[in-house]
Amino acid sequence: MSQTTTFNPSESCNERNSARTPVVLVVAPNDELYRGYCLASVAAAYDTVVITPTPLTWEHPHVIDHEQAHPYNLDALIKAGQALAARHPVAGVLTWNETLLVNTSRLARHLGLPGDRPGVMRACRDKATSRALFDRHQVPSATSVKAVTIADAVAAAQTIGYPVVVKPAGQAGSVGVIRVDTPEQLPDAFSFATTGAQLHGGESTVVLVEEYLDGEEISVECVTHQGVTTPVAITRKQLGFAPYFEETGHSVDAADPLLPQVGPIAQAAVAALGVTSGIQHVEMRLTATGPRIVEVNARIGGDLIGKLVLLATGIDLPRAAADLALGRRPDLTPTRHQAAAIALLYPDTSGTVTARGLDPALAEADWLHQTSWILDTGDRVTLPPEGDVDVARVGLLVVVAPDAGQARERLDTATRHVTITVAPAA
């Protein structure tokens, strides 16, 4: 069932003229901390309507209309989309929610709007299908085998050779992903991945056993219009909590020399999946045998990566996503040439947060772009693997700098001035 909320346009979107067309429909804008900048960017360019599973809160100033519906229920999503399209000239639909890519594509097709077919989005979402397409199109990737039972996993690991990675085929955000170094670790790892495959509305219960790709992990942020993919930035990643693959930080440098080297591989991966339009967050590892694809996410990267790209290059990925949803060519002209980085703040132990803060002397630094707290004193913090990013991170810091080296130095300086105290669980 959908619920309608209609707003007075004079009180929304900085009093822009609500009669202006076209209108962009955003499915499930998510939380303000990580995705607020995306909705603000879209709303600054176009009148914006949204479908959310709960009543509006932070989204209210950015939208002119709203339908409340469960976006994972396709019938409810389509009904909500039809209701909004009946009241406004909706000309494009988009989402930056990984697990809603397929349903959003179905909604766009139902409304007769631009966008790739649901089958293409499903190929991006399902890692087994992605691997098969990479192999068919000779895109460097990882050996991957489906494992229905632990016996399948054992046989696959023996064939591939340890270490291996065990992961759900249809999840996102490193849910259920674990490295396995020995046969003795495999049963617990298989159980961990199987449980992860069933969490958060996972679209597939299939578990994969894959070749472990050694080397630095990066992502290539891409924009695709009419089948032509443009790599616009490189994101360097920091990982923690081995053998899990928790992302603890990211950095973007407009002058990253890797872009010409890895850009063509990202383009080949996007083409192999049949993607012709949208934003892609293409993850890869820089292995001893060259760059190899981890996966292609057909949406703006999480953890404020799109904001880092904007700060470093001036390229606005959410605005580009809205342009593409309308069938328009986005402006990808760089207007900045610097670096930006984010540190995601984890404590040393699980427990109850008793104190957290930033040295006031540092708070006024002009290069400290953002400080945000996720958990407050008294909140429970739970580190991986028991806790996901919603309960494992206490806060985050974003810095800007002229280049990548200074960005790292500033981020190190900022994190040294952060205090996080946790009373360990009994």
Side-chain angles (χ1 to χ4, degrees), residues 334-425:
T335 58
R336 296 172 181 164
H337 198 77
Q338 59 180 5
I342 183 172
L344 302 158
L345 305 175
Y346 295 77
D348 294 328
T349 185
S350 298
T352 301
V353 179
T354 58
R356 89 284 189 278
L358 177 69
D359 186 339
L362 192 71
E364 301 303 318
D366 59 0
W367 47 262
L368 183 58
H369 177 79
Q370 179 177 343
T371 302
S372 297
W373 296 109
I374 301 168
L375 299 181
D376 205 341
T377 54
D379 287 342
R380 171 81 180 181
V381 58
T382 306
L383 296 179
E386 291 80 11
D388 60 18
V389 295
D390 294 327
V391 295
R393 296 169 176 174
V394 178
L396 60 84
L397 301 171
V398 177
V399 304
V400 293
D403 55 51
Q406 291 186 65
R408 285 191 297 270
E409 292 174 3
R410 288 176 174 179
L411 207 55
D412 289 343
T413 298
T415 53
R416 286 198 301 270
H417 286 78
V418 169
T419 298
I420 298 175
T421 308
V422 173

Side-chain angles (χ1 to χ4, degrees), residues 130-139 272:
S130 295
R131 292 282 189 235
L133 288 170
F134 296 152
D135 185 58
R136 182 185 308 170
H137 293 273
Q138 298 182 320
V139 178

Side-chain angles (χ1 to χ4, degrees), residues 16 20 24-26 36-49 62 94 96 300 316-323:
R16 291 185 293 108
R20 188 181 68 180
V24 175
L25 193 168
V26 177
Y37 79 97
C38 293
L39 188 62
S41 175
V42 174
Y46 301 109
D47 283 342
T48 305
V49 297
H62 303 296
L94 67 94
W96 35 79
I300 300 167
D316 189 335
L317 292 180
R319 168 63 190 272
D323 292 338

Side-chain angles (χ1 to χ4, degrees), residues 56-329:
L56 293 189
T57 53
W58 66 271
E59 306 97 336
H60 194 290
H62 303 296
V63 304
I64 62 169
D65 205 350
H66 163 240
E67 283 282 328
Q68 184 178 327
H70 200 302
Y72 293 96
N73 181 321
L74 181 59
D75 291 338
L77 180 65
I78 288 175
K79 183 178 179 181
Q82 287 175 322
L84 288 168
R87 298 195 295 270
H88 305 279
V90 174
V93 179
L94 67 94
T95 188
W96 35 79
N97 187 315
E98 173 75 19
T99 56
L100 288 170
L101 289 170
V102 176
N103 270 8
T104 300
S105 175
R106 288 170 173 159
L107 174 60
R109 286 181 69 80
H110 188 86
L111 297 177
L113 299 176
D116 275 317
R117 295 179 294 105
V120 172
M121 293 297 98
R122 195 175 298 110
C124 296
R125 288 285 300 126
D126 187 274
K127 297 173 179 62
T129 302
S130 295
R131 292 282 189 235
L133 288 170
F134 296 152
D135 185 58
R136 182 185 308 170
H137 293 273
Q138 298 182 320
V139 178
S141 180
T143 303
S144 180
V145 179
K146 292 182 181 179
V148 177
T149 66
I150 183 60
D152 295 336
V154 169
Q158 288 175 340
T159 300
I160 295 170
Y162 290 92
V164 295
V165 174
V166 185
K167 64 199 295 185
Q171 277 292 0
S174 300
V175 171
V177 184
I178 183 171
R179 171 176 162 161
V180 182
D181 293 316
T182 67
E184 292 74 23
Q185 297 170 349
L186 190 56
D188 286 344
F190 183 76
S191 177
F192 176 74
T194 300
T195 300
Q198 299 166 351
L199 294 176
H200 311 305
E203 296 169 54
S204 170
T205 58
V206 171
V207 170
L208 304 177
V209 178
E210 297 192 338
E211 173 188 9
Y212 173 68
L213 302 179
D214 201 2
E216 180 185 0
E217 181 166 334
I218 66 167
S219 61
V220 186
E221 317 312 327
C222 296
V223 180
T224 301
H225 176 61
Q226 295 184 350
V228 178
T229 298
T230 303
V232 299
I234 299 292
T235 302
R236 306 269 185 161
K237 298 177 176 295
Q238 291 76 52
L239 302 178
F241 299 95
Y244 312 100
F245 295 84
E246 192 82 2
E247 295 182 347
T248 60
H250 310 275
S251 62
V252 175
D253 182 0
D256 197 312
L258 266 181
L259 191 58
Q261 177 186 352
V262 301
I265 298 171
Q267 290 170 314
V270 172
L273 295 172
V275 175
T276 64
S277 180
I279 309 296
Q280 299 83 42
H281 172 69
V282 183
E283 298 180 343
M284 64 177 71
R285 286 271 183 143
L286 306 179
T287 74
T289 58
R292 297 170 72 183
I293 297 291
V294 175
E295 61 189 50
V296 173
N297 301 291
R299 42 79 182 171
I300 300 167
D303 290 347
L304 299 182
I305 287 174
K307 178 176 276 192
L308 299 183
V309 172
L310 178 64
L311 291 171
T313 70
I315 297 173
D316 189 335
L317 292 180
R319 168 63 190 272
D323 292 338
L324 292 164
L326 297 168
R328 298 179 173 182
R329 181 186 301 278

